[in-house]
Amino acid sequence: MNSRILIFLGVAFAFLLAIDLYAFKGIRLITENSKTIYKQLSTVLFWLESVGIYMAIGWMVFNMDKFRDPAFTNTIFTINAFILMSLATKLVFNIFHGADDLAFLGNKLVHFFNNGSATATNSNGTPISRTKFLTLLGAGLATVPLGAFAYGLTKGRFNFRVIRKSLSYPNLPDAFDGLKVIHISDIHIGSFPKGHESVAKAVKMINDRKPDVIFFTGDLVNNYASETDGWVDVFKQLKAKKGMYSILGNHDYGDYVQWNSSAEKKANLDLVKQRNRDMGFDLLLNENRTLEIDGEKIGIVGVENWGLRPFPQLGDINKANQGLEGVPFKILLSHDPSHWDAQVLEHKDMDLTLAGHTHGMQFGIEIPGLKWSPVQYKYPRWAGLYEKGKQKLYVNRGFGYHAYAGRIGMDPEITEITLRKEATV
């Protein structure tokens, strides 16, 4: 193992151990007046959990070759979820447990610089009682991230929801007024436990909406086409009256894997494309299709992945748009929402763009008056509807999950969009 990995492992363990030692100090404070058996039990449970986290991190570091192996995806993503849960819980606890210690340290520093030397502070019991109160408060508040990550792991990642939007356009042909579109994105099917019933349930939820069209905006897999094994028949159950269309996302190209040859990588990509088609999708690779109702048409434009560097910029709107010059309304499928600001807005004939990619970071807060996720600092257009002039962008929060097994405040999304003809005066 190279020295950089060993240094990283040493630093990581030192950081986690410091957090654990300080958190354990708080546990001892809370249990100081408890019976011996409870003190011993709290100590054993605390350090069993901590040592378990260290062992899990060590296992991942020594098995980095398995990171891209579909057989270990669920294990690694689940370990990541437990690490995040442990870290977030202890950090919240330590913030409150350490508040009085920080105040005490600040007071000592003030005395030192004011008087030229540090002086002892009289102890009348008040600082200790305040410390214990803050520690107990921290213990109570630490249950929030603990509960949130536990929910995200066990329920949140499978809690599919339908978000409904009605979008009006003056240039929508009359025949398409009321067209019902289902939009999904970022399936990441290799992240799901094999055969998990939530996927079939989501497919049924889509079919129950009786869509006219289904659009899928990329990332069918994490890396390998083989991740789709056993899932094709599930997605073949999807039904749409006027067709199903898909594009590729950044993960579909296999760029995160060390392949033995370029031919092997190409074969994987070719199979990912074929799996899209096997599921019933018409895969658009810088191509377009037209939908026609009663002699009126709209254009469906699908580009390959275009993202800000280091993501590949394979999308070609000009190529994909060829032949649609006389079509009055167009829907663009583009995986990465950053494409909208970078290029799409220059193409005024792209009325509605559908994207995904961000997953809403699988973590955020969405309540009336507040919509926030850390991902917004990288992707300003990260979830929901955005408008500029007459053009609209909708960013789907994702069907699946990646990197860690969980979703907190950012449920997997099935978007139902109804297109409406806007009345003109």
Side-chain angles (χ1 to χ4, degrees):
M1 178 172 293
N2 83 43
S3 58
R4 287 186 179 181
I5 293 176
L6 290 174
I7 291 171
F8 166 80
L9 197 59
V11 171
F13 280 165
F15 174 71
L16 292 174
L17 183 60
I19 291 173
D20 281 337
L21 288 171
Y22 199 77
F24 183 64
K25 171 176 167 288
I27 297 296
R28 294 297 299 268
L29 177 62
I30 290 173
T31 60
E32 62 181 350
N33 297 321
S34 301
K35 293 180 180 180
T36 301
I37 184 65
Y38 295 131
K39 290 181 181 179
Q40 292 174 340
L41 184 61
S42 63
T43 298
V44 170
L45 291 175
F46 180 89
W47 287 109
L48 272 177
E49 184 274 340
S50 296
V51 170
I53 294 295
Y54 301 154
M55 291 176 65
I57 294 173
W59 180 86
M60 289 202 299
V61 170
F62 285 100
N63 291 275
M64 292 183 73
D65 59 313
K66 295 181 171 63
F67 268 49
R68 307 301 184 193
D69 187 338
F72 290 91
T73 297
N74 284 296
T75 299
I76 291 168
F77 287 2
T78 301
I79 289 173
N80 288 343
F82 276 111
I83 292 171
L84 287 171
M85 178 165 60
S86 175
L87 185 60
T89 301
K90 290 172 183 175
L91 284 175
V92 169
F93 177 65
N94 282 352
I95 286 170
F96 286 88
H97 170 54
D100 208 47
D101 286 345
L102 287 173
F104 176 76
L105 178 61
N107 184 51
K108 296 281 281 184
L109 289 172
V110 168
H111 277 285
F112 178 82
F113 286 111
N114 285 345
N115 302 329
S117 63
T119 57
T121 304
N122 291 332
S123 175
N124 57 10
T126 301
I128 294 175
S129 63
R130 183 174 63 192
T131 298
K132 190 166 185 177
F133 169 76
L134 289 171
T135 302
L136 287 167
L137 179 62
L141 292 175
T143 62
V144 175
L146 178 64
F149 275 97
Y151 172 81
L153 173 64
T154 58
K155 298 290 186 182
R157 58 179 165 152
F158 307 126
N159 188 34
F160 288 91
R161 60 172 173 167
V162 177
I163 294 181
R164 299 171 179 83
K165 293 287 179 182
S166 181
L167 305 181
S168 299
Y169 293 87
N171 58 318
L172 182 72
D174 291 337
F176 289 88
D177 184 22
L179 188 80
K180 185 183 289 185
V181 170
I182 289 291
H183 173 210
I184 57 175
S185 192
D186 301 88
I187 292 175
H188 287 283
I189 197 60
S191 299
F192 286 90
K194 279 293 183 183
H196 198 276
E197 66 277 4
S198 64
V199 179
K201 178 183 175 183
V203 167
K204 184 178 183 303
M205 289 173 67
I206 292 171
N207 287 338
D208 286 347
R209 306 312 304 163
K210 300 187 184 322
D212 293 305
V213 187
I214 296 174
F215 294 127
F216 167 47
T217 49
D219 276 0
L220 175 61
V221 299
N222 296 323
N223 298 290
Y224 296 97
S226 61
E227 295 167 36
T228 62
D229 292 348
W231 291 110
V232 173
D233 286 342
V234 177
F235 284 96
K236 281 175 69 173
Q237 302 306 309
L238 286 170
K239 295 179 176 63
K241 301 168 191 172
K242 301 187 184 302
M244 304 187 348
Y245 302 87
S246 69
I247 57 172
L248 299 178
N250 54 296
H251 280 268
D252 294 321
Y253 293 87
D255 289 336
Y256 304 98
V257 174
Q258 293 293 326
W259 300 96
N260 294 320
S261 66
S262 58
E264 184 184 27
K265 181 180 179 181
K266 181 181 182 301
N268 184 75
L269 176 57
D270 288 343
L271 189 53
V272 170
K273 293 175 182 178
Q274 186 57 47
R275 288 291 183 260
N276 271 267
R277 297 176 181 120
D278 292 342
M279 291 175 178
F281 291 103
D282 183 355
L283 179 64
L284 304 181
L285 304 169
N286 291 326
E287 299 172 278
N288 67 71
R289 303 288 187 268
T290 56
L291 293 184
E292 183 172 347
I293 301 176
D294 297 336
E296 296 186 302
K297 296 180 180 180
I298 65 171
I300 309 301
V301 182
V303 294
E304 293 200 54
N305 188 62
W306 192 102
L308 298 176
R309 301 292 185 190
F311 294 111
Q313 298 182 338
L314 305 174
D316 187 335
I317 298 178
N318 291 324
K319 179 181 177 183
N321 199 25
Q322 287 176 4
L324 294 181
E325 291 76 8
V327 177
F329 184 89
K330 296 173 186 176
I331 299 173
L332 172 68
L333 311 181
S334 181
H335 178 70
D336 191 323
S338 57
H339 192 202
W340 199 61
D341 287 294
Q343 289 188 348
V344 176
L345 287 174
E346 299 172 5
H347 297 262
K348 302 301 182 185
D349 56 339
M350 296 299 156
D351 300 283
L352 171 61
T353 300
L354 301 179
H357 183 62
T358 72
H359 302 198
M361 203 174 172
Q362 297 162 216
F363 175 83
I365 301 171
E366 291 190 279
I367 57 177
L370 178 61
K371 178 182 171 182
W372 176 87
S373 169
V375 78
Q376 70 190 54
Y377 303 113
K378 179 173 176 59
Y379 294 98
R381 323 277 189 183
W382 61 277
L385 183 65
Y386 302 89
E387 300 182 60
K388 192 165 186 179
K390 295 181 179 180
Q391 293 174 274
K392 295 178 175 66
L393 164 72
Y394 191 89
V395 183
N396 182 284
R397 294 160 180 82
F399 184 100
Y401 52 92
H402 191 259
Y404 73 97
R407 279 182 172 269
I408 303 169
M410 201 63 57
D411 292 340
E413 177 180 354
I414 297 165
T415 315
E416 179 187 294
I417 297 174
T418 303
L419 297 180
R420 291 296 181 187
K421 174 75 173 186
E422 183 180 305
T424 54
V425 180

